[in-house]
Amino acid sequence: MHKKEQEYFEIIENIFKLVKAEENLGETANYIPELAKVNGEKFGVSLLFLDGLQFGFGDCDEKFSIQSISKVLLLALVYSEIGEEIWKRVDVEPSGTPFNSLLQLESDKGIPRNPFINAGALVICDILIDRCKNPKQHFLDFMKKVSGNSTIQFSERIAENELATGFRNAALTNFIKSLGNINNSPEEVLDLYTHICSIELSCKELCTTFTFLANGGKNLFDNKQILSTSQTKRVNAIMQTCGFYDESGEFAFRVGLPGKSGVGGGIVAVMPKHYVVSVWSPKLNPKGNSYRGMKFLEEFTTATEDSIF
Amino acid sequence: MHKKEQEYFEIIENIFKLVKAEENLGETANYIPELAKVNGEKFGVSLLFLDGLQFGFGDCDEKFSIQSISKVLLLALVYSEIGEEIWKRVDVEPSGTPFNSLLQLESDKGIPRNPFINAGALVICDILIDRCKNPKQHFLDFMKKVSGNSTIQFSERIAENELATGFRNAALTNFIKSLGNINNSPEEVLDLYTHICSIELSCKELCTTFTFLANGGKNLFDNKQILSTSQTKRVNAIMQTCGFYDESGEFAFRVGLPGKSGVGGGIVAVMPKHYVVSVWSPKLNPKGNSYRGMKFLEEFTTATEDSIF
Amino acid sequence: MHKKEQEYFEIIENIFKLVKAEENLGETANYIPELAKVNGEKFGVSLLFLDGLQFGFGDCDEKFSIQSISKVLLLALVYSEIGEEIWKRVDVEPSGTPFNSLLQLESDKGIPRNPFINAGALVICDILIDRCKNPKQHFLDFMKKVSGNSTIQFSERIAENELATGFRNAALTNFIKSLGNINNSPEEVLDLYTHICSIELSCKELCTTFTFLANGGKNLFDNKQILSTSQTKRVNAIMQTCGFYDESGEFAFRVGLPGKSGVGGGIVAVMPKHYVVSVWSPKLNPKGNSYRGMKFLEEFTTATEDSIF
Amino acid sequence: MHKKEQEYFEIIENIFKLVKAEENLGETANYIPELAKVNGEKFGVSLLFLDGLQFGFGDCDEKFSIQSISKVLLLALVYSEIGEEIWKRVDVEPSGTPFNSLLQLESDKGIPRNPFINAGALVICDILIDRCKNPKQHFLDFMKKVSGNSTIQFSERIAENELATGFRNAALTNFIKSLGNINNSPEEVLDLYTHICSIELSCKELCTTFTFLANGGKNLFDNKQILSTSQTKRVNAIMQTCGFYDESGEFAFRVGLPGKSGVGGGIVAVMPKHYVVSVWSPKLNPKGNSYRGMKFLEEFTTATEDSIF
């Protein structure tokens, strides 16, 4: 362990304890019954340097539902295959408030504002269905390719659970289809979408899986090029401007790293050319991002003075 | 000149010629009569390295109206004086579409989404008026402090011109006042705002003036600390997420540097710890950003492979 | 025939010829394939006085798809059974522009603005499903009761046709369900809704069916009380303020009678205590109301000087 | 007094006592300081039959600020002079929710939805300024013409009071001007508007003033034709669909007469060919309409079974 790595270890250890000692505010996501059951006090952190060194604290080996974090991997998969064509179907702008998402779809003729709002991910699912016979298997194959982990599976339990209650996503899919930007049946699109969101990873696995985004598009473990350098920067740019719903500006402002959150309470962020850091704590703030996760990352980049800016 | 600097010189020279040779699309801003008169074919570029070396091409020494670029300097001034207090009056989130800005103000109780939309800059003007006897002079003093140029003046011609036609800004100011987030009279706020937007700088001067944002908050020429390191990163983060209206995501995606544009056709961008780059070309794309400016910066960061991501 | 009736006969005959002679602008509804096939030049008119006298001109005996006109009958059925309870689930305000309907639903917690926008009729379908075993048969029974016509059937051809392309309605139903104001499955609600909209009547039959709304709530042919006097006035009031989407104010202004239109090109209007008038012409104006129907009714009430105001 | 008139006298007397005995909910308008000072318990009612008989109960002779009720008179004045031309500058559709009024103005290119929202009345003020040298005097002259009362004056106290705090109206005026539908300076338009809204009348005077709208466009006292029959019906139609902000549907539904309310707590309604009724009680419900006024009118038309529907 280098001196700098030693410092990071101590910084993370301290902040982890500090944040754990403070009151844990927020609520676990309650609109997906399976997520509501998760113990809200779970708290894990991991950091993986590009030289291969990885730390982990707390519940860093416990798998959790990564939910919307999957949208980055879905984007990476389809972007790697069809390149800039993808932007004919989805835009790269922050969406402002959640409140206007349906309005925007209408005035933008069914083109979602970015790939990380539900509308955007649903459209990318539709592209995937158009392109392959078995889109679920194709996504799993990609997950295995970037994570090096051949045991990754969908959680049928969570996928079903969400499908049964996901009337808002069904509304969105039907609405986009009525505007002409979905080709397949709403049922197929929703089925793929909920499966993709159902993936479970631990903090440690999440770091490994996202390494290519810190590493110029290449896996660390086998040096495979997943995205080109330019595409990698672009995915990071979209994470920076759109990764945290209507708290994206706040995350850029306070944390200063590209990242993505999910309603399961996970957050992953990358410091390009240096490391990937992930955190998991299920209680969410009112904007739908992990309360402790946001707090941890803010303290972390304040202490290390890391920021892309 | 170092070898790297030599390379940049050649890259810029080539791209400048290339973009100049292509058709110059877009329109000069027509709602401010003085700006509509400007020759749309003007085209200047400048780059200033933090070691002090500066290049310039084309009309890089001609002054132009920096308009909204001033909002970054207004923010820097007030942020340096009242610190994090400022965020009680204005938020740091991208605004999504122009179309919903008034709606958002209402649902957000008069708190503008960020300091770089007109609503946000008007509120910061109001703070400045509350804090000092002669806010215009105070702003000029700050301009002189960061630019090292004691001859900077407001363009009364442009300020009056905009005041006379600025009914949209008058609507905005009265609306925010009705929501309780403006203390002073709309007339005073609008007068200060239009003066601040009337500043004229050349591309070269623009680079010098923005150097502190690439340099950890310090001036290059006299080493004065304008903003703390952390504040500097935060201003850069806001430029990244909110600097180009509803093309902010696109700019992060294509150019990958924090920056700010103005309807006068100017754009300035910073590569933290390395350089400031500015470009001026008055014809604007439909989103209100310089057509050639956007093109130049995209080609430039593609060629240099520079990006914060 | 009384003298006044004789006058009306001549007025209608003249206006019918006049409107038929003019150019027939507009387009037949094209989003429902079966409706797009209808001959756009069809034109029928009927008027039924409360003394039983009925006129008819042109294609007044040809059945057409009454579409949204059915929403009045759906409202009357459920209102007659559950009374003022119904207003807990749907409001009575005009909706303004089509453009904000989804937004309004969200801010109004799933309570549609009125029973005559699709959202409102979908919620009333949901109430009907909750209340009876065979809601389709129950609606047909009501249709028979008010029309005196025991042969009325759903058009399965049109119902299927609409269901297959009705992604916008599917979006709406799922959205309202996500907001908690639909109890049954979206599929069931949509199935009932599309069947109710599939009813076909001729202009003459339409007059008979709506007679109770001109007659203080009573059928003419068998004197059965369908709605109380007060309920009847209230249904007429809602037709007046909400019967023509965002052309409701225009209809009140130009025609001055409570009425309801459908995208099949039908319009029915009532002059309380005097008569029911109906018109059918499939080409629609940009607001979705029959081009010739609007024209005919405006000329008609101008000539007769009838108006409730 | 006819037998029917005797019945109405007793009905009104009873309902007046009943409503007075119940708790008086709501709040007096607080954004205009002068209105906030008014005694919230004031309660007056008047009814004027077209045969000239007039009743009055409670504070029916006390003048109050009629506020938005003036918009009907402003419309009548300008409509009588320029006819259907007026509809090029303002529409006749209900506005839906208050919440989207600014949005609608933008998408409708500065054409207000109807003459009874502030935006609409401001535009009509602008037309009046364009048409005459002394628009204030011209309006007073019209007021005298329809009221038969030559002592009517603006309340400078209320006009100034509102101007000083009317930032929302200033926002609206500037916004419409930026969209091109106001010709004169915002100051002039606002000055005329606030004067027009400052008129004070008693319930009895209000009935007299609005008689022409119940009487086919003619004054009762001197038989002068103020509006044509057709124009009169149209103004009544707009009152019905747009007279009570986003409670217009509710008023049509519950009361069933065309009418108009003001934030001073006044309401006037007409039963065409029969009578004018007015009520004043300063406490407002959450939609900005008189709490007791709405209650009184609902009970009144329930008891009399009067309704235009």
Side-chain angles (χ1 to χ4, degrees):
Chain A
M1 213 190 289
H2 302 170
K3 196 171 152 237
K4 195 189 159 194
E5 292 171 347
Q6 182 64 39
E7 277 169 34
Y8 272 62
F9 182 90
E10 283 159 23
I11 285 173
I12 294 179
E13 192 175 31
N14 283 335
I15 297 174
F16 182 80
K17 276 186 206 159
L18 215 93
V19 173
K20 203 176 166 66
E22 289 176 18
E23 196 183 357
N24 187 10
L25 301 173
E27 303 283 342
T28 53
N30 54 14
Y31 61 94
I32 304 176
E34 282 296 328
L35 294 186
K37 290 185 205 161
V38 174
N39 176 355
E41 296 309 311
K42 291 288 177 184
F43 188 22
V45 166
S46 181
L47 187 142
L48 170 62
F49 287 103
L50 291 192
D51 67 3
L53 181 71
Q54 181 161 27
F55 306 144
F57 293 89
D59 305 308
C60 62
D61 284 311
E62 187 165 334
K63 282 174 189 285
F64 59 91
S65 183
I66 68 169
Q67 292 290 323
S68 289
I69 298 174
S70 282
K71 291 172 182 165
V72 182
L73 301 162
L74 172 67
L75 170 66
L77 164 56
V78 176
Y79 195 16
S80 74
E81 294 186 346
I82 71 171
E84 309 303 319
E85 280 293 297
I86 196 173
W87 312 118
K88 292 183 182 163
R89 300 281 301 275
V90 62
D91 203 350
V92 297
E93 292 300 328
S95 61
T97 62
F99 136 103
N100 49 34
S101 54
L102 284 166
L103 251 190
Q104 285 177 338
L105 271 174
E106 186 143 27
S107 65
D108 296 350
K109 304 188 176 186
I111 306 298
R113 302 242 65 197
N114 67 64
F116 297 154
I117 52 174
N118 292 9
L122 287 161
V123 166
I124 300 182
C125 282
D126 185 62
I127 301 175
L128 203 59
I129 296 170
D130 270 343
R131 288 179 49 77
C132 51
K133 280 216 172 133
N134 192 337
K136 283 190 212 169
Q137 188 55 49
H138 195 58
F139 181 78
L140 279 187
D141 291 346
F142 180 76
M143 282 301 296
K144 289 169 189 172
K145 189 168 147 194
V146 290
S147 67
N149 179 342
S150 65
T151 69
I152 290 180
Q153 288 300 334
F154 297 121
S155 163
E156 293 294 341
R157 193 175 37 92
I158 288 182
E160 275 164 38
N161 204 246
E162 204 180 340
L163 199 51
T165 58
F167 297 109
R168 184 69 70 111
N169 284 332
L172 218 40
T173 312
N174 278 285
F175 191 55
I176 301 170
K177 187 160 178 74
S178 79
L179 294 165
N181 197 21
I182 278 186
N183 300 324
N184 299 285
S185 80
E187 289 70 25
E188 272 177 290
V189 172
L190 287 163
D191 180 52
L192 177 57
Y193 174 83
T194 47
H195 276 83
I196 284 175
C197 290
S198 78
I199 294 277
E200 292 172 309
L201 294 176
S202 69
C203 283
K204 279 198 185 158
E205 290 167 331
L206 197 53
C207 283
T208 314
T209 306
F210 271 71
T211 308
F212 72 101
L213 289 173
N215 194 34
K218 268 192 224 176
N219 280 340
L220 199 63
F221 60 89
D222 65 1
N223 246 11
K224 246 182 218 153
Q225 195 83 33
I226 304 298
L227 290 175
S228 74
T229 320
S230 155
Q231 287 176 323
T232 305
K233 289 173 183 170
R234 291 178 163 200
V235 171
N236 287 341
I238 305 172
M239 285 206 288
Q240 189 72 79
T241 51
C242 316
F244 292 79
Y245 312 106
D246 51 324
E247 208 172 27
S248 297
E250 192 80 12
F251 192 79
F253 179 83
R254 292 196 183 280
V255 176
L257 302 177
K260 184 75 198 78
S261 68
V263 292
I267 303 178
V268 62
V270 304
M271 178 69 186
K273 296 180 194 155
H274 291 91
Y275 58 77
V276 185
V277 59
S278 70
V279 55
W280 171 50
S281 170
K283 290 197 180 172
L284 308 179
N285 69 19
K287 300 282 174 80
N289 299 311
S290 170
Y291 174 78
R292 279 188 164 160
M294 296 297 270
K295 210 165 180 67
F296 172 84
L297 287 168
E298 184 182 351
E299 301 288 343
F300 169 68
T301 58
T302 300
T304 59
E305 296 194 9
D306 285 341
S307 159
I308 61 168
F309 297 109
Chain B
M1 214 189 291
H2 303 168
K3 195 170 156 239
K4 194 189 160 195
E5 292 171 345
Q6 183 64 39
E7 279 169 31
Y8 272 63
F9 182 90
E10 283 161 22
I11 286 173
I12 294 179
E13 193 176 32
N14 283 336
I15 297 175
F16 182 80
K17 276 187 206 157
L18 214 93
V19 173
K20 202 174 166 65
E22 289 176 18
E23 197 183 355
N24 186 9
L25 301 174
E27 302 284 341
T28 54
N30 55 14
Y31 61 93
I32 302 178
E34 283 296 327
L35 294 185
K37 289 184 203 161
V38 174
N39 176 354
E41 296 310 309
K42 291 290 177 182
F43 188 23
V45 164
S46 182
L47 186 142
L48 172 61
F49 286 104
L50 290 192
D51 68 3
L53 181 72
Q54 182 162 29
F55 306 144
F57 293 89
D59 305 308
C60 63
D61 285 309
E62 189 166 333
K63 281 173 189 288
F64 59 92
S65 183
I66 68 170
Q67 292 291 323
S68 289
I69 298 174
S70 282
K71 290 171 182 166
V72 183
L73 301 163
L74 172 66
L75 170 65
L77 165 55
V78 176
Y79 194 16
S80 74
E81 295 187 346
I82 69 170
E84 307 305 318
E85 281 292 297
I86 197 172
W87 311 117
K88 291 181 183 166
R89 301 281 300 275
V90 60
D91 202 351
V92 297
E93 291 300 327
S95 60
T97 63
F99 138 101
N100 48 34
S101 53
L102 284 166
L103 250 190
Q104 284 176 339
L105 271 174
E106 187 144 25
S107 65
D108 296 351
K109 307 192 175 181
I111 305 298
R113 302 239 70 197
N114 68 64
F116 297 156
I117 53 174
N118 292 9
L122 287 161
V123 165
I124 300 182
C125 283
D126 185 62
I127 300 176
L128 204 58
I129 297 171
D130 270 343
R131 290 180 47 77
C132 52
K133 281 214 171 136
N134 192 336
K136 283 190 210 166
Q137 190 54 50
H138 194 60
F139 182 77
L140 279 186
D141 291 347
F142 180 76
M143 283 302 295
K144 288 168 189 172
K145 190 168 146 192
V146 291
S147 68
N149 178 342
S150 64
T151 68
I152 290 180
Q153 287 300 335
F154 297 120
S155 164
E156 292 294 340
R157 196 174 36 91
I158 289 181
E160 276 164 36
N161 204 246
E162 206 182 339
L163 198 50
T165 56
F167 297 108
R168 183 69 70 112
N169 284 332
L172 218 39
T173 312
N174 278 286
F175 190 55
I176 301 170
K177 188 161 176 72
S178 80
L179 295 166
N181 197 22
I182 277 186
N183 300 322
N184 299 285
S185 81
E187 290 70 26
E188 275 177 287
V189 172
L190 287 163
D191 181 54
L192 177 58
Y193 175 83
T194 48
H195 276 83
I196 283 174
C197 289
S198 79
I199 294 279
E200 293 173 310
L201 294 176
S202 69
C203 283
K204 279 196 185 159
E205 291 167 331
L206 198 52
C207 283
T208 315
T209 306
F210 271 72
T211 309
F212 72 100
L213 289 173
N215 194 33
K218 269 192 224 174
N219 279 340
L220 200 61
F221 59 90
D222 65 2
N223 246 14
K224 246 182 220 154
Q225 193 83 32
I226 305 299
L227 289 176
S228 73
T229 321
S230 154
Q231 287 177 323
T232 305
K233 288 172 184 170
R234 289 178 164 200
V235 171
N236 287 341
I238 305 172
M239 286 207 289
Q240 189 73 78
T241 50
C242 315
F244 292 80
Y245 312 104
D246 50 322
E247 207 172 28
S248 297
E250 193 79 12
F251 192 79
F253 178 83
R254 289 195 184 282
V255 177
L257 302 178
K260 184 76 199 77
S261 68
V263 291
I267 303 179
V268 62
V270 305
M271 178 68 186
K273 296 181 194 155
H274 291 90
Y275 58 78
V276 184
V277 60
S278 70
V279 56
W280 170 50
S281 171
K283 290 197 180 170
L284 308 179
N285 68 20
K287 300 280 173 83
N289 299 312
S290 172
Y291 175 77
R292 278 186 165 162
M294 296 296 272
K295 212 169 177 65
F296 172 84
L297 288 168
E298 184 182 351
E299 300 288 342
F300 169 69
T301 57
T302 301
T304 59
E305 297 194 8
D306 285 340
S307 157
I308 61 168
F309 298 109
Chain C
M1 216 190 290
H2 302 168
K3 192 167 156 243
K4 196 189 158 194
E5 290 172 348
Q6 182 64 39
E7 277 170 32
Y8 271 62
F9 182 88
E10 284 160 23
I11 286 173
I12 294 179
E13 192 175 33
N14 284 336
I15 298 173
F16 183 79
K17 277 187 204 154
L18 213 94
V19 173
K20 203 175 164 68
E22 289 176 20
E23 195 183 357
N24 186 9
L25 301 173
E27 302 283 342
T28 54
N30 55 14
Y31 61 94
I32 302 177
E34 283 296 328
L35 295 185
K37 289 184 204 161
V38 174
N39 176 354
E41 296 309 311
K42 292 288 178 184
F43 187 23
V45 165
S46 182
L47 186 141
L48 171 62
F49 286 103
L50 291 193
D51 67 3
L53 181 72
Q54 181 162 27
F55 306 146
F57 294 88
D59 305 308
C60 63
D61 285 309
E62 188 165 334
K63 282 175 189 284
F64 59 90
S65 182
I66 67 169
Q67 292 291 322
S68 289
I69 297 174
S70 283
K71 291 172 183 165
V72 182
L73 302 163
L74 172 66
L75 170 64
L77 164 55
V78 177
Y79 194 17
S80 75
E81 294 187 345
I82 70 170
E84 309 303 319
E85 281 293 297
I86 196 173
W87 311 117
K88 291 184 182 163
R89 300 281 301 274
V90 61
D91 203 351
V92 297
E93 291 300 327
S95 62
T97 62
F99 136 104
N100 48 34
S101 53
L102 283 166
L103 250 190
Q104 284 175 338
L105 271 175
E106 184 144 27
S107 65
D108 296 349
K109 304 189 177 185
I111 305 297
R113 300 241 69 198
N114 67 64
F116 297 156
I117 52 174
N118 293 9
L122 288 161
V123 165
I124 300 182
C125 283
D126 185 60
I127 300 175
L128 204 57
I129 297 170
D130 270 341
R131 289 179 48 77
C132 51
K133 278 214 173 139
N134 191 339
K136 282 190 212 169
Q137 189 54 50
H138 194 60
F139 181 78
L140 279 186
D141 291 345
F142 180 77
M143 283 302 296
K144 289 168 189 173
K145 188 169 147 193
V146 291
S147 67
N149 179 340
S150 66
T151 69
I152 290 180
Q153 286 301 333
F154 298 119
S155 164
E156 293 292 342
R157 194 175 37 91
I158 288 183
E160 273 164 38
N161 205 248
E162 204 180 341
L163 197 53
T165 58
F167 297 109
R168 184 69 69 112
N169 284 332
L172 219 40
T173 312
N174 278 285
F175 191 53
I176 300 170
K177 188 161 176 72
S178 80
L179 294 165
N181 196 22
I182 278 185
N183 300 323
N184 298 285
S185 82
E187 289 70 25
E188 274 177 289
V189 173
L190 287 162
D191 181 53
L192 177 58
Y193 174 84
T194 48
H195 276 81
I196 284 175
C197 290
S198 79
I199 293 279
E200 291 172 310
L201 295 176
S202 69
C203 283
K204 281 197 184 156
E205 292 167 329
L206 198 51
C207 282
T208 315
T209 306
F210 270 71
T211 308
F212 72 101
L213 289 173
N215 194 34
K218 271 192 222 172
N219 279 341
L220 200 62
F221 60 89
D222 64 2
N223 246 12
K224 245 184 220 150
Q225 193 83 32
I226 305 299
L227 289 177
S228 73
T229 320
S230 154
Q231 286 177 324
T232 304
K233 289 172 183 171
R234 291 179 163 199
V235 171
N236 287 342
I238 306 172
M239 286 205 290
Q240 189 73 78
T241 50
C242 316
F244 292 79
Y245 312 105
D246 51 322
E247 209 173 24
S248 297
E250 193 79 14
F251 192 79
F253 178 84
R254 291 196 184 280
V255 176
L257 302 177
K260 184 75 199 81
S261 68
V263 292
I267 302 181
V268 62
V270 305
M271 178 69 184
K273 297 177 194 156
H274 292 90
Y275 57 77
V276 184
V277 57
S278 70
V279 54
W280 170 49
S281 172
K283 289 196 181 172
L284 308 180
N285 68 19
K287 299 282 172 78
N289 299 312
S290 171
Y291 174 77
R292 278 186 163 161
M294 296 296 271
K295 213 169 178 61
F296 172 83
L297 287 168
E298 184 182 351
E299 300 288 343
F300 169 67
T301 57
T302 299
T304 58
E305 295 195 10
D306 284 341
S307 159
I308 59 167
F309 297 108
Chain D
M1 214 189 290
H2 303 168
K3 190 166 159 244
K4 194 188 159 196
E5 291 171 348
Q6 183 64 40
E7 277 170 33
Y8 272 62
F9 182 90
E10 282 160 24
I11 286 173
I12 295 179
E13 193 176 31
N14 283 336
I15 297 174
F16 182 79
K17 276 187 207 158
L18 213 93
V19 173
K20 202 174 165 67
E22 288 177 18
E23 196 183 356
N24 187 9
L25 301 174
E27 303 282 342
T28 54
N30 55 14
Y31 61 94
I32 303 178
E34 284 295 328
L35 295 185
K37 288 184 203 161
V38 174
N39 177 352
E41 295 310 310
K42 292 287 177 184
F43 188 23
V45 164
S46 181
L47 186 142
L48 172 62
F49 285 103
L50 290 193
D51 67 3
L53 180 73
Q54 181 162 28
F55 307 144
F57 293 88
D59 305 308
C60 63
D61 285 309
E62 187 166 333
K63 281 175 189 286
F64 58 90
S65 183
I66 68 170
Q67 292 291 322
S68 290
I69 297 174
S70 282
K71 290 171 183 165
V72 182
L73 302 163
L74 172 66
L75 170 65
L77 165 56
V78 177
Y79 193 17
S80 74
E81 295 186 345
I82 70 171
E84 309 303 320
E85 279 294 297
I86 197 173
W87 312 118
K88 290 183 183 164
R89 301 281 300 275
V90 61
D91 203 350
V92 297
E93 290 302 328
S95 61
T97 62
F99 139 100
N100 49 33
S101 54
L102 284 166
L103 250 191
Q104 283 176 337
L105 272 174
E106 186 143 27
S107 66
D108 295 350
K109 303 190 176 181
I111 306 298
R113 301 240 69 197
N114 67 65
F116 298 156
I117 53 173
N118 292 9
L122 288 161
V123 165
I124 299 182
C125 283
D126 186 61
I127 300 175
L128 203 59
I129 298 170
D130 270 343
R131 289 179 47 78
C132 52
K133 279 216 173 134
N134 192 337
K136 282 189 211 168
Q137 189 54 51
H138 194 60
F139 182 77
L140 279 186
D141 291 346
F142 180 77
M143 283 301 296
K144 289 168 188 171
K145 190 168 147 193
V146 291
S147 68
N149 179 341
S150 67
T151 69
I152 290 180
Q153 288 299 334
F154 298 120
S155 163
E156 291 295 340
R157 195 173 37 92
I158 287 182
E160 275 164 37
N161 204 248
E162 204 181 341
L163 199 51
T165 56
F167 297 109
R168 183 70 70 113
N169 284 332
L172 218 40
T173 313
N174 278 285
F175 191 55
I176 300 169
K177 188 160 178 73
S178 80
L179 295 166
N181 196 22
I182 277 186
N183 300 322
N184 299 284
S185 80
E187 289 71 24
E188 274 177 288
V189 173
L190 287 163
D191 181 53
L192 178 58
Y193 174 85
T194 48
H195 276 83
I196 284 174
C197 290
S198 78
I199 294 280
E200 292 172 310
L201 294 176
S202 68
C203 283
K204 280 197 184 156
E205 291 168 329
L206 198 53
C207 281
T208 315
T209 307
F210 271 71
T211 308
F212 72 101
L213 290 173
N215 194 33
K218 270 193 222 174
N219 279 341
L220 199 63
F221 59 90
D222 64 2
N223 244 12
K224 245 183 220 153
Q225 193 84 32
I226 304 299
L227 290 176
S228 73
T229 320
S230 153
Q231 287 177 324
T232 304
K233 288 173 184 171
R234 289 178 166 202
V235 171
N236 287 341
I238 306 171
M239 285 206 290
Q240 188 74 78
T241 50
C242 315
F244 292 79
Y245 311 104
D246 50 322
E247 208 173 25
S248 297
E250 192 79 13
F251 192 79
F253 178 83
R254 292 197 183 278
V255 177
L257 302 177
K260 183 76 197 80
S261 68
V263 291
I267 302 179
V268 61
V270 305
M271 179 68 187
K273 297 179 193 158
H274 291 89
Y275 59 77
V276 185
V277 58
S278 70
V279 55
W280 170 50
S281 171
K283 289 198 181 170
L284 309 178
N285 69 19
K287 299 281 173 82
N289 299 312
S290 172
Y291 174 77
R292 279 186 165 162
M294 297 296 272
K295 211 166 179 64
F296 173 84
L297 288 167
E298 184 182 351
E299 300 289 343
F300 169 69
T301 57
T302 300
T304 59
E305 294 194 12
D306 284 342
S307 158
I308 61 169
F309 297 108

